[in-house]
Amino acid sequence: MLEVNHKTGYSLVTDGIAIVGKIFYLPSGALLVKSLTDGYDTVAHSELEAVEIIRGRVHPC
């Protein structure tokens, strides 16, 4: 189960104790999504979309 831990300017996405992704909040309102499991980078328009992107990279099924 993924958990989002909010920090100032970014959030860490964890799966248990492992950090599996980061979400950076850009001044334009967009979110930069970084999957740490495979290095995939993309842009999302909401936090929910960002978490779904990371979930798809961590748990592809």
Side-chain angles (χ1 to χ4, degrees), residues 2 4 9-11 16-17 20-21 27 34 36-38 41 43 47 49 51 61:
L2 298 182
V4 179
Y10 69 98
S11 292
I17 62 169
V20 295
K34 173 75 173 176
L36 300 179
T37 57
D38 61 359
D41 296 328
V43 176
E47 191 172 278
E49 180 184 358
V51 172
C61 295

Side-chain angles (χ1 to χ4, degrees), residues 4-53:
V4 179
N5 300 302
H6 294 93
K7 308 289 183 187
T8 303
Y10 69 98
S11 292
L12 298 175
V13 181
T14 58
D15 188 12
I17 62 169
I19 298 172
V20 295
K22 291 184 179 180
I23 303 169
F24 298 93
Y25 303 98
L26 302 177
S28 65
L31 306 174
L32 177 63
V33 182
K34 173 75 173 176
S35 172
L36 300 179
T37 57
D38 61 359
Y40 182 75
D41 296 328
T42 191
V43 176
H45 299 292
S46 70
E47 191 172 278
L48 179 62
E49 180 184 358
V51 172
E52 289 299 320
I53 291 167

